[in-house]
Amino acid sequence: MIHPIKNIVNRYKNGKKIGIFSVCCSNNYVIEATMEKLLNKNIPLLVEATANQVDQFGGYTGMRAKDYANYIYEIADEVGFPKERIILGGDHLGPLTWKDIDAKEAMSNAKNLISEYVLAGFTKIHIDTSMPLKGDMESNKFGDDLIATRAAELCKAAEEAYVNLKKSNQSAIHPVYIIGSEVPIPGGAQVEEEGEGPKVTKVEAFKNTIETFKNTFERYGLKDAFEYVVGIVVQPGVEFSSDYIWEYDRCEAKDLTNGLKAFPQLVFEAHSTDYQTAKALREMVEDGFVILKVGPALTFGFREGIFALNLIENELLKYDPSIELSNFIDILDFSMVKNPNYWINHYSGIGEKIKIERKYSLSDRARYYMPKEEVNFALEKLMSNLEEREIPITLISQFMHEQYKKVREGILKPTAKNILKDRIGEYIDDYIYAIEKN
């Protein structure tokens, strides 16, 4: 059986300007909203867990790879989404979260990480060794050769895990791989990177990366495995920071995208495509960025929706003495102030600016706090308070006007969960537009 992503790549190379978008997220409302959007479309759902979200130690979600897979399938059962249309992916699998410890130990952890993902049935594996590890810069050895060598070691671990998986599951599909050496870090630009903005990958660097990886894989006895490399991560010139978006410029990327034509089995995977316009996303697919990664924009849409619902809750219920309000917005901010580790490197400036960014930043570092006990309790309290109520259209109009129009047209029920998912769906719609056949 051909992997569905390989099928998309083949169709693209044969002139069909189609693609696939990857939902890099663990938020159940985002996953559910995406499934509902794709339910009646002939489009597979690619959903990916990132190395800092899900690892062999639980990540910040508390889930290991098998837990995440079961979590996604449970949501699919609730929605009625066919499991056979789900592609599980692992994003930034490598030593990313261990880059400040001994390099040998970091790579050992990374091998275990990637093995767990493959054994759990993840079939799209982004091998990411693009970050320097402890001691690399001092030894002056960091570059494409070392990046490719480490990637080959991780690919070998993945291949061995797949062989073991086949012993217990003969129908297990072989994973496809994404490689690259110019890989944006997850979650948007950090403070120190904002000044210059992203630079489009030079076509010579792109070609050198492929050649280096190919030769290194062959040296490690992975020539056959390299046939499963379907994409390479490059920088197309798109990125976002806390309050700024670098837009796609196809003219700036022209040399790079023309260079892709020399590789009949490869496409580009574009990271940090969050907040690009629907038009720009479609242009990216047309130009060879066939795999579009999105994450923070979807949880940003979730955050927008939840904040709106919190304001609706306050207006609707604040005079009811029998109701305890959720205070979601305040509790979320309190949690972020109490534990700033997840946002401190992404937000900068004077106090007023940081206070705004904690709530409204495009980087949406708030997503890291949703699993926190106090934040999750407030979220559940908010949804419970509104669950059995038909929200007045006047309040929906005030705080979620696009959803108000759909309620008026009779295509959206005025319940909290429905209007929240529809708000998230506004961002999903841009990606559906981009990847469907033009």
Side-chain angles (χ1 to χ4, degrees):
M1 175 184 174
I2 186 170
H3 194 287
I5 294 180
K6 266 202 165 191
N7 182 47
I8 289 170
V9 172
N10 291 341
R11 291 173 65 195
Y12 176 85
K13 291 295 187 176
N14 286 318
K16 306 291 185 184
K17 300 300 182 182
I18 61 169
I20 187 169
F21 68 93
S22 170
V23 176
C24 301
C25 189
S26 59
N27 183 293
N28 61 303
Y29 290 99
V30 169
I31 303 301
E32 191 170 325
T34 308
M35 286 180 177
E36 290 178 356
K37 282 286 184 181
L38 298 182
L39 190 58
N40 296 318
K41 292 182 174 290
N42 188 27
I43 298 173
L45 169 62
L46 172 56
V47 58
E48 299 200 47
T50 304
N52 56 1
Q53 286 178 329
V54 174
D55 66 15
Q56 64 267 44
F57 307 110
Y60 75 79
T61 63
M63 288 187 283
R64 297 173 68 165
K66 192 65 178 177
D67 300 323
Y68 183 85
N70 291 335
Y71 169 70
I72 297 300
Y73 291 143
E74 286 170 6
I75 298 175
D77 286 338
E78 293 174 9
V79 174
F81 192 89
K83 293 180 184 177
E84 61 271 17
R85 285 175 54 196
I86 297 174
I87 304 169
L88 294 175
D91 191 30
H92 293 282
L93 299 189
L96 172 69
T97 57
W98 302 293
K99 62 183 185 293
D100 296 324
I101 67 173
D102 176 74
K104 185 176 181 180
E105 183 181 355
M107 284 299 294
S108 176
N109 285 345
K111 290 173 186 177
N112 292 333
L113 171 72
I114 209 164
S115 295
E116 275 208 7
Y117 270 75
V118 173
L119 288 170
F122 288 67
T123 65
K124 177 188 175 289
I125 304 296
H126 171 213
I127 302 175
D128 185 7
T129 53
S130 64
M131 69 297 299
L133 303 183
K134 187 176 180 180
D136 282 350
M137 305 311 291
E138 292 81 357
S139 65
N140 203 31
K141 293 180 180 179
F142 188 73
D144 269 6
D145 287 337
L146 183 57
I147 291 170
T149 296
R150 287 172 175 164
E153 292 174 4
L154 296 186
C155 184
K156 188 172 184 179
E159 289 287 295
E160 291 170 354
Y162 175 68
V163 170
N164 288 330
L165 178 64
K166 285 283 284 186
K167 293 176 182 177
S168 59
N169 181 8
Q170 284 298 312
S171 62
I173 189 171
H174 195 290
V176 294
Y177 299 114
I178 307 295
I179 59 171
S181 57
E182 288 193 36
V183 182
I185 63 169
Q190 292 195 356
V191 170
E192 64 272 15
E193 301 172 311
E194 292 181 2
E196 297 182 0
K199 303 296 182 185
V200 176
T201 299
K202 299 290 185 184
V203 66
E204 297 83 4
F206 153 62
K207 291 180 177 179
N208 180 69
T209 294
I210 294 175
E211 189 67 21
T212 303
F213 271 71
K214 184 178 180 180
N215 291 339
T216 305
F217 274 45
E218 289 181 0
R219 198 166 65 248
Y220 272 75
L222 297 168
K223 184 176 181 179
D224 291 342
F226 198 81
E227 295 299 312
Y228 290 94
V229 175
V230 295
I232 180 168
V233 180
V234 292
Q235 176 50 265
V238 305
E239 187 55 275
F240 61 93
S241 66
S242 187
D243 59 0
Y244 189 81
I245 302 160
W246 287 272
E247 308 283 356
Y248 179 64
D249 184 338
R250 69 189 330 175
C251 293
E252 288 289 324
K254 186 175 181 180
D255 289 345
L256 176 62
T257 56
N258 283 340
L260 184 64
K261 297 173 183 177
F263 301 93
Q265 294 180 314
L266 290 177
V267 296
F268 292 134
E269 174 169 287
H271 289 223
S272 300
T273 68
D274 307 72
Y275 311 108
Q276 296 294 311
T277 65
K279 177 177 179 290
L281 291 169
R282 175 169 279 190
E283 288 180 352
M284 291 181 75
V285 171
E286 291 171 349
D287 295 346
F289 299 95
V290 170
I291 305 171
L292 302 174
K293 305 293 283 289
V294 58
L298 302 183
T299 51
F300 181 86
F302 164 79
R303 197 273 314 151
E304 286 181 317
I306 283 295
F307 275 26
L309 287 176
N310 194 180
L311 296 174
I312 288 172
E313 176 199 28
N314 290 342
E315 291 300 315
L316 191 60
L317 304 176
K318 65 183 176 182
Y319 299 115
D320 187 338
S322 67
I323 296 292
E324 181 180 346
L325 297 176
S326 70
N327 298 309
F328 177 83
I329 294 173
D330 291 338
I331 289 173
L332 170 63
D333 196 53
F334 175 80
S335 183
M336 295 181 75
V337 172
K338 185 174 68 173
N339 178 16
N341 293 344
Y342 292 117
W343 57 264
I344 195 71
N345 291 323
H346 290 260
Y347 304 157
S348 65
I350 59 176
E352 290 85 350
K353 182 173 182 289
I354 287 177
K355 288 178 181 179
I356 291 291
E357 290 183 337
R358 282 203 305 266
K359 291 182 177 178
Y360 304 111
S361 168
L362 296 173
S363 299
D364 187 44
R365 307 304 293 178
R367 70 188 186 275
Y368 287 89
Y369 296 83
M370 295 303 156
K372 301 294 183 184
E373 183 178 1
E374 67 271 19
V375 178
N376 186 60
F377 179 85
L379 173 61
E380 291 183 354
K381 182 66 176 174
L382 169 59
M383 298 305 289
S384 174
N385 282 346
L386 296 175
E387 185 177 15
E388 301 300 327
R389 299 174 186 270
E390 184 170 300
I391 301 172
I393 60 171
T394 51
L395 288 178
I396 298 175
S397 177
Q398 177 67 37
F399 297 107
M400 303 177 83
H401 194 69
E402 289 301 312
Q403 284 63 50
Y404 159 79
K405 289 188 284 188
K406 293 178 182 179
V407 170
R408 287 291 309 278
E409 291 167 2
I411 59 177
L412 182 65
K413 292 183 179 179
T415 65
K417 191 172 184 180
N418 283 331
I419 61 178
L420 171 60
K421 289 189 291 185
D422 194 76
R423 182 61 170 261
I424 299 167
E426 293 177 22
Y427 292 88
I428 299 168
D429 284 339
D430 291 343
Y431 285 87
I432 294 174
Y433 171 82
I435 67 168
E436 286 188 306
K437 182 180 177 181
N438 299 338

